Amino acid sequence: MAAKILRYFAGGNTALGFHNLFESNLQGLHRLFILKGGPGTGKSSLMKAIGSEWSEQGYDIEYLHCSSDKDSIDGVLIPALKAGIVDGTAPHVIEPKAPGAVEEYVNLGEAWDSKALAGQREQIDRVNRNVAESYKAAYSKFAEALKIHDQWEEIYFGQMDFAKADQLTGRLLERLFGDAGQSKSATVKHRFLGAATPTGAVDFVPNLTDGLSQRYFIKGRAGTGKSTMLKRIASEAESRGFDVEIYHCGFDPHSLDMVIVRELDFAIFDSTSPHEYFPEREGDEIIDTYEFAVAPGTDERFAGPIKEVSEQYKAKMKDAIACLAEAKRHRDELEKIYVAAMDFGIVDDLRNQIRAELIELSANLRESMTR
């Protein structure tokens, strides 16, 4: 049986600044390697190599992608081994719960030439300031965009029939859960559906929902109760003892964009821009909150204000993404400095040490299963 690879974001560049959901996804691990080191020290490459090796051996893998560079990863988890490796440098600092017993720091700084880096201190400081300023500008523009989005929501919010919205959610809860329940505590994991990256919005909806027999595509408008519906579904799943994956909005982490309950074989998600999808296979179904609970003709009556606020929002988001792209350009400059000062042979040795411990964990697992 082919190994499954799950891809998602556990950190995001949001209207509230960088938002971290790492801890939720690291719960239950018995071994966690926390990588330390500057940009360009090979953290992402090390984690990708380990993930690829264990995937080829048939182990399911989870990749935690980087919101500041979609081609890099911030972590790799091997659930069967209850083990993982994460980037523990800012902004996603991981606080160990049981240092040494569970978490182990791996310092990739052992592989750099400190004297060479000391000679470029002024340049490193300058570039770091540029990176920080670019992120600060991005978060400021995202915050402004959120205020504009709130105005957009108010237009539709004022045209909502909340009794109908509650009725729709109630019917959906009955359909999704019926009388089903389990006598165990639910495991709840918080993630991001997508992320604002230097190249624009990125999501992994097709990957995350692959193999699920039922996918519900929520269509609607801003402020038509999509997130509220998802929060009620997540709460219901947890109260009934079902493990639930809760995917937050990469723009506003207080809102939800998707809920997956794999034990009941379904996913339900906000299928509007920038993560807009349409049914393409059996078991896919659209749920339209605008059609069901918003006064008919709202789009037409408020066409002018909607167009104006939509354009303002898109312009502000474009500016914010440009700032993220600027931050990445500065980070790439920083990476070149560190790459030139690195001895990647030492990084390979550190990777082999991690690999050896994972092999030992695997052997212990097989032994315990044969007892």
Side-chain angles (χ1 to χ4, degrees):
M1 183 175 173
K4 294 180 180 178
I5 297 177
L6 209 62
R7 302 180 183 275
Y8 54 88
F9 294 96
N13 299 306
T14 80
L16 304 181
F18 183 81
H19 201 77
N20 187 342
L21 297 174
F22 274 73
E23 186 173 341
S24 169
N25 294 283
L26 304 181
Q27 60 182 308
L29 296 184
H30 293 173
R31 197 64 170 137
L32 179 66
F33 299 94
I34 303 174
L35 305 184
K36 293 291 187 178
T41 54
K43 299 185 296 294
S44 179
S45 296
L46 184 156
M47 291 185 286
K48 284 181 178 179
I50 294 288
S52 178
E53 290 171 7
W54 287 88
S55 175
E56 289 173 2
Q57 295 180 51
Y59 286 80
D60 292 347
I61 298 295
E62 295 181 12
Y63 286 120
L64 285 62
H65 282 257
C66 174
S67 58
S68 293
D69 180 357
K70 64 182 179 64
D71 295 322
S72 293
I73 61 171
D74 285 337
V76 59
L77 308 181
I78 311 172
L81 300 183
K82 296 187 182 301
I85 313 169
V86 293
D87 181 345
T89 56
H92 31 71
V93 178
I94 311 298
E95 293 295 337
K97 298 290 191 301
V102 175
E103 298 92 356
E104 188 76 34
Y105 284 111
V106 179
N107 182 16
L108 273 64
E110 294 178 14
W112 61 41
D113 183 340
S114 296
K115 290 183 179 179
L117 292 174
Q120 301 187 74
R121 178 179 174 179
E122 288 186 8
Q123 185 179 1
I124 291 171
D125 287 344
R126 174 184 60 78
V127 178
N128 272 323
R129 285 195 299 271
N130 290 339
V131 170
E133 288 170 4
S134 295
Y135 277 119
K136 182 179 179 180
Y139 298 146
S140 175
K141 293 183 185 300
F142 280 133
E144 292 175 35
L146 181 58
K147 291 179 180 177
I148 296 170
H149 196 271
D150 288 344
Q151 296 172 24
W152 198 350
E153 289 188 349
E154 287 175 5
I155 296 172
Y156 290 100
F157 195 76
Q159 303 300 309
M160 280 282 290
D161 185 327
F162 293 101
K164 284 187 176 180
D166 287 342
Q167 184 182 35
L168 176 61
T169 302
R171 290 177 181 175
L172 193 54
L173 290 173
E174 177 62 29
R175 183 173 177 184
L176 292 173
F177 298 102
D179 296 326
Q182 300 190 111
S183 56
K184 67 175 180 64
S185 295
T187 296
V188 181
K189 295 188 176 180
H190 293 269
R191 299 163 175 170
F192 285 106
L193 175 67
T197 79
T199 58
V202 175
D203 70 73
F204 297 107
V205 169
N207 168 267
L208 292 167
T209 62
D210 183 46
L212 295 173
S213 64
Q214 197 74 44
R215 299 191 304 175
Y216 297 91
F217 298 63
I218 306 176
K219 301 293 184 179
R221 309 289 189 274
T224 57
K226 301 186 296 294
S227 177
T228 300
M229 175 187 290
L230 290 168
K231 287 176 180 178
R232 287 186 59 184
I233 291 169
S235 178
E236 189 71 20
E238 182 179 2
S239 69
R240 292 174 181 244
F242 292 107
D243 296 343
V244 56
E245 298 166 25
I246 300 175
Y247 292 85
H248 294 249
C249 172
F251 171 57
D252 177 6
H254 290 159
S255 293
L256 301 188
D257 274 346
M258 179 163 71
V259 173
I260 295 179
V261 182
R262 297 190 187 275
E263 291 167 313
L264 293 178
D265 213 18
F266 77 78
I268 179 166
F269 65 99
D270 180 339
S271 183
T272 58
S273 180
H275 33 77
E276 185 173 23
Y277 292 89
F278 296 92
E280 59 182 12
R281 68 187 194 215
E282 186 178 353
D284 287 354
E285 184 177 330
I286 288 177
I287 297 169
D288 195 327
T289 57
Y290 175 81
E291 182 179 300
F292 193 88
V294 179
T298 293
D299 281 345
E300 292 75 18
R301 286 198 307 277
F302 294 90
I306 290 170
K307 182 175 184 293
E308 181 180 355
V309 76
S310 171
E311 290 176 350
Q312 291 175 359
Y313 170 75
K314 290 175 182 177
K316 195 63 67 174
M317 290 294 286
K318 184 178 179 180
D319 290 344
I321 294 298
C323 290
L324 291 181
E326 184 69 19
K328 186 179 186 305
R329 283 192 289 273
H330 292 309
R331 283 182 60 85
D332 288 346
E333 184 181 351
L334 203 57
E335 284 188 5
K336 289 178 182 178
I337 297 173
Y338 278 88
V339 167
M342 289 292 292
D343 181 345
F344 286 101
I346 295 176
V347 176
D348 289 340
D349 291 340
L350 292 171
R351 184 181 68 201
N352 287 333
Q353 291 174 28
I354 295 174
R355 178 189 290 119
E357 187 164 341
L358 292 174
I359 290 172
E360 184 178 352
L361 284 174
S362 177
N364 292 340
L365 177 65
R366 286 196 299 271
E367 182 180 345
S368 66
M369 293 174 65
T370 58
R371 287 174 184 168

